[in-house]
Structures are given as C-alpha cells and as structure tokens.
Amino acid sequence: MISWLQTNFQKHFRVLFIVLLGVIIVAFVFTIGAAPGIGDGRNQDRNIQFFGNEFSTDSQRQEFFNAAYYSALLTGAPLNQDQLTQYAFNRAAALHLADLHNIPGPNSEQLTEHIQQLGMFQGPDQTFSREAYVRFRDEIRASGNISEGALSLIIADDYRVNKVFDGLSSPGFVLESEVIQDLVLDQTVWSVNVAEYDFANFSPEIDYSEEKLEAFYVQNSFRYASPTRRTISFVEFEALDHIAEVEVTEESLQDYFARNSYKYKKTVEAPPSEDPEAEPAAPITEPATFEESRDQVEFDFKLEEAKKIGQTKAENLALALVEADNAVGTTDSLSIDRIESLIEKRGYQTKRTTPFARNETPIGLNWSQNLIALSFQLTENHIYSQPVIEGDSTFVLYLESENEEFVPNFKTVEPRVRENYAEDEARRLGSSKGQELADALKAVDADSFKAEAEARGLKVSEYNEFKRRDTVEGLDAGLIFSASELEKDGVSDVTIREDKAYIVQVTKKEIPEITRDDEEYTTRMEVLKSNYAQYSVSQYISKLTNDELVRSGLATAN
C-alpha cells in the first residue's frame, strides 16, 4: 500500500508524504486542550513548547495548526482533522531538522520552481497553471484569512522541508521478490461480495447517567472551552472621508494617467468580417485615452491621495502615542484613558469591536485575518499598534479588554456534553456492532455468507473480475486494500465509512505469474526504491515527533 500511495502522490504532494506514511506513530493519549484533535485542557497553565513552537495558549496553537492547514492545502490534497494534526506535528519536526542543519530558504528562482510544483496550482494536464495560481491568490486576498506575507513564509518553510527529505534520503534497497510481489498485486483479478450495514437502522441503548456524563466532560473539557476573546478599540482613517481634502490639477491627473494607463480600457465593436454569412464578432477591448476616461481617472487619483492623507494622520497619531508613552517614564504602557484623551484632542472618533476570538471576526466588521492577528499581538505592556493599512483604510488599534480562556462548569454545558457523549457512544457502539457482524460472517461457510448477511439486515453487492487499480462503479477502492491479504473465501474485519459498515468476502482471486522479464519490472523497481527512501525518512521524522510530544508533555505513550 505504501508504494501505491507514493506512486499516486509523489509527483506533486511530496510534503504530504510525511503524514501519509506517518501511520507508524505509536498510540498517544493527548493531554492539552483547544488544539485540533487533542487535549482535555488540564495543562494550560504550563509553558509548553514543541520544537520551539509555543503551545501554551489558544492563539499559539491556532497559529501552529493554521500554518499546517495552508501547507497541506497548497499540496492540493485534502486532510481530515486527525491527518491534519499528525501532519502539523511532523512538519514541525522536519522544520526543526532544517534549523539544526542550517538549511536556507529558497531564493526567488527556487521559490518560483517550488510554487510551480505545488498540487494546488496544477492544471488538468498536471502541469503548472498560471490561471489556477492567480485564482488562488485572488481568493486568498479576498478572504482576508491570511496575509500574503504569512503564506509566503509557509511556502518557504515547505521548500525547506523538501530539502530535509532530499538530504536524508538515500537510494532504497529493493529485493526482486518485492518488485514482483507489487506487480502481482496490481495484476491480480478479484471478485468480491461486499456486505453493507446502514447505521440508520442501529439504535443502541446509551447510558446517560450523570456519572458517565461528568466523566466524559472531564476527559473532553477542551471541547467546551471558551477561547480568549478581546475587545479592541480603534481609529479608522477611511480614504473616502478625506477625498474633499484632495487638491486636483490637470497636470496631476495627466501624470496619474500616464502611470496607470493600463487600467483604463474601452469596449469597441470588432472589425467586420469579410464573410457576409459569418456570425458577428464579439466586442473587443482596447486602451482608452485620457479624455475618454477622465472622470474615472479623477476619482481614482482622489482616492489614492485620500488614502495617503489618512495614512499620514494615522502615522501622526501613532507618533503622538509613542511620544506620550516615552514621557511616562515607566515600563507600563499608556493607559486607555490617556490614549483616548489624545485621540479626542485630535478630533478623531474611537470605535470598538464586539469581543472576538483569534479564529473569529468581530460582529459587524469585515476585518481581515491580518487585523485580527495584530489585535492578538498587543500586550499589557504595549496596548496600541502602529498604523496598519487595510484596503482603503488605515487603522490604529489599542487593547480595550480581554476575557481569558476558561472552561464553563459542567451544569452550564450539560446539554452539549450530553449531545457529544451520545455521538461518541453511538460511534463506539456502532464500531462494536460492525465487528460483531464481521465475526458472525467469518463463522459461517463461504456459500452461506450472502444469506447470513442478509438475514442480519445487511445489503450484499457483488463485484466481479477487476484489478485493484481499476475504477469499479459503486466499489470503494479502499475496501480492496483492506482485504488484499485475504485468500479466496476469506472475510475481512469491518471497515466503517461515515454512517455505513462494510465487510468484504473474497469470492475469486486469480494470481498471475510474473517474472523480472515483465515490461513494467524496471520502472516499478525505481518507484519502489524512491518509496523506501522516503519511507525511511518518514520513520525517522515520526520518531522525532513522538519523542518530542512525550518530552513536551503533549502526549504520553501507551
């Protein structure tokens, strides 16, 4: 299965390999809260680090997993929550190795080459698509969830992760028998029965005693934690508010047009075709003259100059805050009252946000992730920001108040606890039910599989004469991998997919004769060598990850 994964992903999803082959990680019991997939919230008063990444607060954990999320997103392959958690830790371990070995980030040429290989930017022909790149960049800008600078840093870090793999990889050793076995698996012809159980028909009895619910609450208190929320006061210098202050001359408009003429287009009719029966051609665009676009030029010029006026006023306000801060003569930051007095003297209006968390947007405001991140960089010793430009506005922020992260008591969140407990118990009992059905079907003879399954309420589907790489309508290919070690008439353990349970019976397994003379032998040998080299690195990184998780107290080995 390792070779199949690598064959399918190695071209564009190289960084993702550290999670796809990271399944060797030992079982852990995670012991901190508020991070995706981990925690019970009982160690949040400790100073926790994972390979230098601060992991003590909600915002620090959010930043850590956000970076991994965008890194995985750029590969073009989706990850579920558990995979993302594993990927984030393994990625951090690889970056730790990059730091230890002083692996530099990419230069502009290397960065361009790296970006062109990312799965997110591949077209239908599996080559770099500038259209896909531009579309992604525009969507990121429009969403405001992450700044381009932060995204560039993530991409540069992923380049360094690739270099770690390059540095640690060496040609893998592959036996002739392994190559032949891989080709045999590809060319084996299968027929199977798949018994499907719908959990919609499963209504387990769940023990809702208060003792059970409270125990669940203690073990999963991170689910109910209310994250740190801040209220931010700010002064916004909007460009539109300063347009009336802009002085306009004909010369300034002409200069502005000369610098930005590419922006101004006009639509004209296409030249007539010489063929009288031809369909009329679509209109075309061509550059507009200054006179034709003068009104728009004047508005754009005023808006640009108004933005500069707003920026200047914001800079002057920020400078006044710094000077007043320095004049205080203590290590304490300016008080809110003093800041608001300085703002009021300049005739500016203070606005306030509703309380919001690191992963939330203040109600009624279209703030970008950049402004939200800046809000959480303010500290008690420095509660105001430098000017920050967002769109047509410039902001100066200061910290009004903060409500620290807390876990409500059990009674407050009991309805949610009951709901979550029911979901988890239903899942656990469903898994037990599925394996019980699988064990029952293993106990009957091969000819009775279908009848026994149907008698127990399962739907049985037959799939005949296919190979493992074939696309078979209605058949989940993953089920074949789960049954690949079975012989004819063998029955698999249960596999659960969302709200269904599947049990596979092999009714036919024709194994071909393969020798090293097979036309695919040499190519498959090279693929497996590359796979084993990458797998060896992944094992090493996974061990580093496991050791660091235990050392940091984020996990304990079972």
Side-chain angles (χ1 to χ4, degrees), residues 412-433:
T412 301
V413 295
E414 184 175 359
R416 285 178 58 200
V417 173
R418 186 182 180 90
E419 181 182 348
N420 295 153
Y421 173 74
E423 291 172 352
D424 282 22
E425 275 296 281
R427 191 179 301 114
R428 182 185 68 81
L429 294 171
S431 179
S432 296
K433 174 67 174 180

Side-chain angles (χ1 to χ4, degrees), residues 265-271 281-288 292:
K265 306 289 184 182
K266 63 180 179 180
T267 302
V268 298
E269 293 184 1
I284 61 175
T285 59
E286 61 182 33
E292 291 168 330

Side-chain angles (χ1 to χ4, degrees), residues 257-438:
F257 178 78
R259 288 184 281 109
N260 298 279
S261 57
Y262 66 92
K263 295 181 181 179
Y264 303 103
K265 306 289 184 182
K266 63 180 179 180
T267 302
V268 298
E269 293 184 1
S273 172
E274 295 181 358
D275 182 358
E277 297 182 0
E279 291 289 331
I284 61 175
T285 59
E286 61 182 33
T289 65
F290 172 74
E291 289 75 15
E292 291 168 330
S293 49
R294 190 187 188 288
D295 290 345
Q296 186 62 47
V297 170
E298 181 174 350
F299 176 80
D300 292 346
F301 171 76
K302 284 183 175 181
L303 185 63
E304 182 176 288
E305 293 301 305
K307 286 171 63 175
K308 293 177 183 177
I309 293 172
Q311 291 167 22
T312 299
K313 290 184 177 182
E315 290 165 2
N316 290 337
L317 173 60
L319 179 60
L321 295 178
V322 171
E323 290 174 344
D325 204 357
N326 291 337
V328 171
T330 70
T331 57
D332 295 332
S333 182
L334 280 175
S335 68
I336 292 176
D337 289 341
R338 179 69 173 135
I339 290 174
E340 292 182 344
S341 176
L342 290 169
I343 292 171
E344 186 178 351
K345 284 181 180 178
R346 283 162 175 75
Y348 303 141
Q349 179 186 4
T350 298
K351 303 176 183 178
R352 286 178 177 79
T353 68
T354 56
F356 64 97
R358 180 67 179 261
N359 61 343
E360 297 173 343
T361 301
I363 295 173
L365 296 174
N366 188 27
W367 274 21
S368 71
Q369 187 61 39
N370 187 40
L371 279 174
I372 294 170
L374 179 61
S375 299
F376 280 83
Q377 290 169 10
L378 302 176
T379 67
E380 290 183 358
N381 292 329
H382 198 84
I383 67 171
Y384 59 90
S385 75
Q386 293 299 306
V388 57
I389 300 170
E390 286 287 328
D392 293 333
S393 295
T394 305
F395 294 81
V396 175
L397 315 180
Y398 60 96
L399 177 59
E400 178 82 17
S401 62
E402 177 177 283
N403 298 321
E404 293 186 357
E405 179 178 317
F406 72 97
V407 179
N409 63 48
F410 169 72
K411 287 298 183 182
T412 301
V413 295
E414 184 175 359
R416 285 178 58 200
V417 173
R418 186 182 180 90
E419 181 182 348
N420 295 153
Y421 173 74
E423 291 172 352
D424 282 22
E425 275 296 281
R427 191 179 301 114
R428 182 185 68 81
L429 294 171
S431 179
S432 296
K433 174 67 174 180
Q435 192 55 49
E436 176 188 315
L437 290 170

Side-chain angles (χ1 to χ4, degrees), residues 366-527:
N366 188 27
W367 274 21
S368 71
Q369 187 61 39
N370 187 40
L371 279 174
I372 294 170
L374 179 61
S375 299
F376 280 83
Q377 290 169 10
L378 302 176
T379 67
E380 290 183 358
N381 292 329
H382 198 84
I383 67 171
Y384 59 90
S385 75
Q386 293 299 306
V388 57
I389 300 170
E390 286 287 328
D392 293 333
S393 295
T394 305
F395 294 81
V396 175
L397 315 180
Y398 60 96
L399 177 59
E400 178 82 17
S401 62
E402 177 177 283
N403 298 321
E404 293 186 357
E405 179 178 317
F406 72 97
V407 179
N409 63 48
F410 169 72
K411 287 298 183 182
T412 301
V413 295
E414 184 175 359
R416 285 178 58 200
V417 173
R418 186 182 180 90
E419 181 182 348
N420 295 153
Y421 173 74
E423 291 172 352
D424 282 22
E425 275 296 281
R427 191 179 301 114
R428 182 185 68 81
L429 294 171
S431 179
S432 296
K433 174 67 174 180
Q435 192 55 49
E436 176 188 315
L437 290 170
D439 292 341
L441 294 179
K442 289 178 183 181
V444 302
D445 61 76
D447 293 336
S448 302
F449 176 91
K450 184 175 182 180
E452 180 68 18
E454 291 176 341
R456 290 177 176 270
L458 285 78
K459 172 187 173 183
V460 180
S461 301
E462 298 181 13
Y463 302 95
N464 297 313
E465 306 285 331
F466 63 89
K467 298 178 181 179
R468 69 168 180 166
R469 294 186 190 275
D470 293 345
T471 299
V472 182
E473 185 176 355
L475 176 63
D476 182 343
L479 296 177
I480 301 307
F481 284 102
S482 68
S484 60
E485 300 299 321
L486 297 175
E487 299 301 326
K488 182 179 180 300
D489 297 331
V491 176
S492 72
D493 289 332
V494 67
T495 298
I496 296 177
R497 296 277 196 274
E498 297 181 353
D499 58 349
K500 301 283 181 66
Y502 299 93
I503 303 161
V504 179
Q505 179 197 37
V506 178
T507 58
K508 179 179 180 180
K509 187 177 181 181
E510 290 185 355
I511 302 175
E513 290 290 333
I514 301 290
T515 70
R516 63 176 299 136
D517 295 327
D518 189 279
E519 60 182 12
E520 295 185 35
Y521 180 89
T522 301
T523 301
R524 188 60 57 90
M525 170 72 81
E526 295 305 313
V527 168

Side-chain angles (χ1 to χ4, degrees), residues 157-168:
D157 280 345
D158 287 343
Y159 169 88
R160 298 177 70 220
V161 169
N162 277 359
K163 289 302 178 185
V164 168
F165 271 73
D166 288 343
L168 294 178

Side-chain angles (χ1 to χ4, degrees), residues 63-73 79 84 87-88 91 154:
E63 183 176 357
F64 178 83
F65 286 103
N66 276 351
Y69 168 77
Y70 282 105
S71 170
L73 180 68
L79 298 181
L84 179 61
Y87 176 71
R91 179 175 180 269
I154 291 169

